[in-house]
Structure formats: C-alpha cells, structure tokens
Amino acid sequence: MDKNLLIMTEMPEYFVSLADKNFNTYKLWLNKNEDDYLSEIRTDMDAIAVMGGYKITPELMKSMPNLKIIACYGVGYDAIDINYAKSLGIKVTNTPEVLNDEVADTAIALMLCVYKKIVDADSFARNNSWLNGDFPLTKKFSGTKLGIVGMGRIGKTIAKRAEAFDCKISYHSRNKKDVKYKYFTDLNQLAKEVDTLCVITPGGKETEKLINKEVLSSLGKNGVIINVARGSVIDQDELIYSLENNLILAAGLDVYTNEPNIPEKLINLKNTVLLPHIASGTVETRNAMGQLVFDNIKNYFENKSLISEVV
C-alpha cells in the first residue's frame, strides 16, 4: 500500500514487520535528532503509529497536513489531544479488549504479591535465611474487600477474577455500570469501606491525582493500593508519604508519574511491590495489540470500518 506511516516509538517486531510489508515506514526513534527528522518528513505522513505514552501535540498534528489517522498501541490515549485531532478530521484508534486478561492477571498478581509478600519470601529463600527461622506470617487475601476504581472492560475482568478469591467487590466510576457490585459515588467512602483499592481508570487531566491525600487517608493504615492504570492517577508524592509513615499498609504498582523514572524513595520502601509497566507485557498480548494497530490503519486506507475508533 503506497501510504506513508510514521512509527514514532520503538514497537514490537511483530507490528513493525507487518508495517514494513504494507506501508512506507519511517521510524522516528532510530534518528538521533528527532526534530530535524520530523521536519524533513512531516508533510508526507499519512498515518502515525505510537505507543500510549508518547505525547501527540496539536502542533505536531497541525504540522502534518496529510495526516489521516493516529493508531495508538495501548488502551490509554491520554497523551493525544483528542479534541484537536477531531477538529482536523484525524481519526484516532486504540487497542481495547485484547489486553483485558493480561492486565487483570497482573492486578491480581500484584495483590497476591503484596498480601503474601512473595518478593520478600523469594529473597528470604534464596538468601538461605530460612536456616535461621521461619518467614514472618503475612496477610490473607481471599475474602477481603476489594474496591475497583474504574469499572470498564478491564475493571470488570479484574472483578471476575477476584470473585474466585471470594472477595467482596465494590467500585467507583463516573457512572453506575450494569454490574452486580456495589456502586459508590464517593471515592473516599469507597476507600473507607475496602481493604484493597485497585486503580484501573483512564489517565488524562480528568483523573489526574484522583487518588489524593484524602483518599489515601480514607484507605487507612491497613489498606493496600494497586495501580495498573496510569501513574498520573495517583498523587505520587502523597503516596510515598503515606507509605513512609505507615498511613497505608502497602502498594503494588505497575505505573509511575514519570516513567521510566521510579523515585528512589519508592524503590527503597519495604512495603511496595514495583513492576516496570508490564501489565500487558506478554508476547501473545503484545502481538494482538500490534495486529489491531495494523488492522485499524489498513482498514482506514481501504475505506473499511475502523475496529476500535476513539474519535
């Protein structure tokens, strides 16, 4: 297909190979001076493929007069100015559904790791500390009260898995959903009622620092927070303060405010389990995401319906 595709960030080989075979591809991340490279090619670009975190500004879109579609590799598209894209007639797509299971698995894994102190127990065994006595007792996860912040596709998938652990599930979201779980309009009240608060709401300005000092205080000294959403959703400084001062029990995090930079204070804390944003990070899921990015772009230029259009 004689269309020019700008791949803005390094992406899995499965997608890149598909793109190379079907489009004229331009790989921004391979160029030392990205600004100069963009200046050379911008007027010729028909499409953009981008990982979720790379910011697509109005200035960038305006500088590409032939740009027709931005295909985001990920569910979150908060780094793209959606309203401006719409004003220019640029389509935006993302990759929902295909990563629901993987992110839900990671959320449950983080909960189990935090409650059972799996990471510490692994080190304990490897260091032969067992020779000097048993590993300290941990907390039971089954039967606990789980609050989910964001009852979308992934939130529902997390809830389904938590049911197998006999968790009592409730949730907070912008609107009440057609689910059997208890709905809280007040996030602070939800935090007061649960043992674990799992965050899986979309990122962006609307949810920036949604989990703030007040919510963390409501969660309390026995509360656990899990974040598999966006780092921006939690006030990271307040989270660190709450963990340092045992105002909450523990945290399991896959995302951070300024990735890939994780604050040293978080790293040094003993009541955290930290992952490098790997919630959807399996070969199978990433390939499925790449296929969906490719299919959306291909469909657009073949005048077919987009599979997962945002605008």
Side-chain angles (χ1 to χ4, degrees), residues 217-283:
S217 178
S218 296
L219 185 59
K221 63 180 181 180
N222 293 314
V224 170
I225 192 155
I226 304 293
N227 191 7
V228 286
R230 282 283 191 263
S232 61
V233 179
I234 296 181
D235 186 326
Q236 190 165 269
D237 290 336
E238 289 295 343
L239 174 62
I240 292 170
Y241 180 83
S242 296
L243 289 164
E244 285 178 330
N245 293 279
N246 299 311
L247 302 179
I248 64 173
L249 183 67
L253 308 173
D254 185 48
V255 289
Y256 311 88
T257 299
N258 184 28
E259 296 176 8
N261 300 295
I262 302 175
E264 188 174 350
K265 287 184 177 181
L266 267 182
I267 292 171
N268 291 334
L269 284 167
K270 298 298 183 183
N271 52 349
T272 58
V273 175
L274 308 178
L275 302 180
H277 203 152
I278 59 165
S280 64
T282 62
V283 172

